[in-house]
Amino acid sequence: MTANEARNAAWVFPGQGSQRVGMGRELARSSPAAAAIYEEADNALGFAISTLCFEGPATELEQTSNQQPAILTTSVAYLAALNERELLPNPRFVAGHSLGEYSALVAAGSLDLGDAVRLVRRRGDVMQEHGAGAMIAVIGMDSDAAEQLARDSGVEVANDNAPGQIALSGRPEAIGRASALARERGAKRVVTLPVSGAFHSSLMRPAAEAMAPFINHTSVQPARYPLVTNVDARPITDPDDLRRELIDQICAPVRWIDVVRTMQQAGITTFYEIGPGKVLAGLISRIIPGAYVTPADQLLSSTPASE
């Protein structure tokens, strides 16, 4: 890893939807550092989130209140394994997709792992509790057309993920209208998302209000590496700003295209996706064709652990 590559690197962390039964099992077997992360998370939560990750069942793993700490723990375990093998340069920035911001803040030294898993366990609970509504992904429609579609159907843009890939949130009847209109207006695909509510929309404001006291009473340290925020795609390090981001992002859209372009404009050319799967690698490659994007599994498999 050259000094120039290190200066131009960012770490990115996935959100919900990246989970699968079995995630992290081989990682924990091969990496003592990763195994220690699972043990720490189990102790912080008071139950074995590790068993849920390694063995399922899928129906329990997919519950929002389980899925969130499971993905966060697995992402941090990947980071520990990568650092154990000295495979990562220090980043100039960190970023996370929705839930992934918590993983990013653990990586940046702002949140303690135990505090983070307890927070996202609570975040999952309140998102399920205030989960009125539904979401769809609209494929093959540009951002301007998708925003007009949202206005015309009474829904909100929830995720601006990549060119031609937008998620919409709203009440079920409005989502039904948006689905029909999207097809009429030439969308290539409309996919109903398997989520329990209208995430990243104004319908989640009660969930943000419910989370605020927990976030405000959690110790947050200045970030060693700036977090490029979902809400307004700016780099922040101050604890008060970080707390505000974690509250606001619950009911604000995830501006992932802007997040990635902010890093690109700052000179980032190398992205490491740290966590289960490679969803963000695919999105980043569409936002910045030719960017160097490496998922954690690929990096670990190319450098086997020493015997």
Side-chain angles (χ1 to χ4, degrees):
M1 181 68 61
T2 68
N4 188 56
E5 285 174 317
R7 286 197 301 272
N8 295 335
W11 296 349
V12 296
F13 297 84
Q16 283 187 247
S18 298
Q19 78 286 341
R20 60 176 177 81
V21 172
M23 65 180 184
R25 183 171 51 210
E26 294 306 316
L27 187 69
R29 288 174 180 168
S30 63
S31 165
I37 294 296
Y38 280 106
E39 182 178 1
E40 184 177 348
D42 289 351
N43 291 335
L45 291 168
F47 72 96
I49 194 70
S50 58
T51 300
L52 205 52
C53 293
F54 302 163
E55 301 174 12
T59 51
E60 288 189 30
L61 181 60
E62 288 166 5
Q63 292 174 14
T64 303
S65 58
N66 291 328
Q67 187 181 149
Q68 295 199 18
I71 292 170
L72 185 150
T73 301
T74 301
S75 296
V76 177
Y78 270 106
L79 178 62
L82 289 164
N83 283 333
E84 183 180 47
R85 300 189 199 174
E86 300 182 347
L87 295 176
L88 286 175
N90 289 333
R92 281 185 57 201
F93 299 105
V94 295
H97 192 284
S98 186
L99 162 71
E101 288 200 317
Y102 286 82
S103 307
L105 290 179
V106 174
S110 293
L111 284 176
D112 172 79
L113 174 63
D115 288 337
V117 292
R118 285 187 291 266
L119 278 176
V120 300
R121 172 76 168 175
R122 179 62 182 167
R123 183 179 185 265
D125 285 339
V126 300
M127 289 174 78
Q128 282 186 196
E129 182 182 345
H130 299 284
M135 295 182 71
I136 54 172
V138 179
I139 313 298
M141 180 175 280
D142 67 33
S143 295
D144 289 343
E147 287 174 6
Q148 186 62 52
L149 169 69
R151 288 191 291 271
D152 293 345
S153 54
V155 301
E156 299 173 42
V157 174
N159 304 73
D160 195 4
N161 284 330
Q165 185 173 330
I166 305 287
L168 303 176
S169 280
R171 299 192 184 280
E173 62 276 14
I175 285 291
R177 288 194 299 272
S179 296
L181 270 178
R183 293 185 177 96
E184 286 176 17
R185 295 180 182 181
K188 291 180 180 177
R189 291 177 63 208
V190 178
V191 180
T192 300
L193 298 179
V195 296
S196 60
F199 297 163
H200 298 292
S201 76
S202 59
L203 293 176
M204 298 304 295
R205 193 160 288 120
E209 291 169 355
M211 276 301 295
F214 296 95
I215 292 168
N216 285 330
H217 287 92
T218 297
S219 175
V220 178
Q221 302 303 314
R224 288 196 297 265
Y225 316 117
L227 173 78
V228 182
T229 62
N230 284 185
V231 173
D232 55 15
R234 67 187 179 98
I236 60 173
T237 59
D238 179 75
D240 288 340
D241 291 340
L242 294 170
R243 287 191 182 93
R244 192 172 304 113
E245 169 66 14
L246 294 180
I247 296 166
D248 291 348
Q249 55 118 276
I250 295 173
C251 51
V254 176
R255 296 173 54 189
W256 189 248
I257 293 176
D258 290 341
V259 168
V260 173
R261 287 184 174 155
T262 291
M263 292 188 281
Q264 179 191 26
Q265 288 161 9
I268 299 302
T269 57
T270 303
F271 298 84
Y272 296 94
E273 180 171 3
I274 303 172
K278 51 185 179 181
V279 170
L280 298 184
L283 297 181
I284 292 168
S285 295
R286 291 174 58 189
I287 297 166
I288 312 175
Y292 180 76
V293 191
T294 304
D297 274 326
Q298 180 180 323
L299 194 56
L300 287 167
S301 64
S302 67
T303 314
S306 12
E307 295 296 332

